[in-house]
Amino acid sequence: YYERKKFDIKQICQFATNKKFTHLIVLGEDKKYKKKMCNGMIVSRLPDGPTAFFKVSNVQISTDLKSRGKSISQQPEIILNNFNTRLGRRVGRFLGSLYPHEPNFKGREVVTFHNQRDFIFVRYHRYIFDETEVQREGEKKDAKKTELGVKTRLQELGPRFTLKLRWLQQGSFDTLHGEYEWMHRRGEMDGRRKFNL
């Protein structure tokens, strides 16, 4: 984490590229309220892009979640759910590239990007296996056998938030001369049945 201070995002992209970073994430926060909350996120794949801007809503940090677990800093598995259109597959691959493609299955941590009606719900979980006794009916009518069974449950690690894609741009961040692949237009949401992602 580095503070932006007064640097331009194009300068930050250049600095990050020189340091051999793979991604740049710039978070915007709303300073109107006492509690600062993230309301926008620019994600750029370095050095050649693409770059996307997401509106961020429904942010709950890890400490606000009930019965949360602690992350053990393992590489999580990635689940991309319901990215069906051409743009959706592109955005899904882009979000999946934020994590290395070497999951550690022993850590049992999962990051889920679930697309529903063009809103992307982001959740971070750990799955837990519990051994329990299961009673099964035997061959005789009154006889019951007790065997060990395995139940699986999820434990949320957090944070959780919702993303809404506002624009997707080819190349690294350049709002003046960059070529936009897709941009949200006002009025596009009114009574529509066709979704972009």
Side-chain angles (χ1 to χ4, degrees), residues 7-40:
F7 291 109
D8 187 33
I9 295 179
K10 287 177 77 171
Q11 290 177 317
I12 296 172
C13 285
Q14 196 60 42
F15 295 147
T17 302
N18 293 341
K19 297 241 182 203
K20 306 239 187 278
F21 288 132
T22 58
H23 289 82
L24 173 71
I25 300 174
V26 179
L27 301 174
E29 54 187 16
D30 196 353
K31 296 180 182 178
K32 293 179 190 176
Y33 306 105
K34 292 178 184 175
K35 190 176 180 182
K36 293 181 181 179
M37 287 304 249
C38 177
N39 65 352

Side-chain angles (χ1 to χ4, degrees), residues 34-167:
K34 292 178 184 175
K35 190 176 180 182
K36 293 181 181 179
M37 287 304 249
C38 177
N39 65 352
M41 180 170 71
I42 296 173
V43 182
S44 184
R45 173 95 166 111
L46 300 174
D48 299 324
T51 301
F53 175 70
F54 296 95
K55 179 182 168 193
V56 181
S57 60
N58 301 328
V59 177
Q60 289 188 340
I61 57 176
S62 301
T63 55
D64 293 344
L65 297 173
K66 295 179 183 176
S67 67
R68 71 181 189 284
K70 288 187 179 180
S71 178
I72 52 176
S73 54
Q74 299 283 339
Q75 295 298 332
E77 301 172 51
I78 301 165
I79 297 175
L80 301 170
N81 190 16
N82 206 21
F83 291 92
N84 298 327
T85 64
R86 183 176 179 188
L87 176 66
R89 287 189 295 273
R90 175 121 165 102
V91 170
R93 282 193 312 269
F94 177 58
L95 291 172
S97 73
L98 290 171
Y99 295 92
H101 294 283
E102 300 168 2
N104 184 349
F105 296 109
K106 291 182 181 179
R108 303 182 319 269
E109 293 183 6
V110 179
V111 174
T112 303
F113 295 97
H114 174 73
N115 175 34
Q116 185 174 347
R117 300 179 65 94
D118 287 347
F119 288 93
I120 302 168
F121 298 93
V122 182
R123 302 291 185 265
Y124 191 28
H125 290 95
R126 173 185 300 124
Y127 50 94
I128 299 172
F129 299 109
D130 294 326
E131 288 187 13
T132 58
E133 291 185 3
V134 178
Q135 291 185 355
R136 296 190 181 172
E137 293 184 19
E139 295 175 3
K140 298 179 182 177
K141 291 182 180 178
D142 296 332
K144 290 187 177 181
K145 291 183 181 178
T146 303
E147 297 178 2
L148 282 179
V150 177
K151 286 190 174 181
T152 307
R153 62 184 173 94
L154 290 176
Q155 180 182 35
E156 191 161 11
L157 302 176
R160 75 161 72 154
F161 51 92
T162 305
L163 300 175
K164 175 78 172 160
L165 181 66
R166 291 299 180 193
W167 50 259

Side-chain angles (χ1 to χ4, degrees), residues 174-186:
D174 188 1
T175 54
L176 293 178
H177 306 292
E179 183 178 339
Y180 289 92
E181 290 182 40
W182 182 83
M183 183 177 280
H184 172 75
R185 291 177 185 24
R186 264 185 200 269

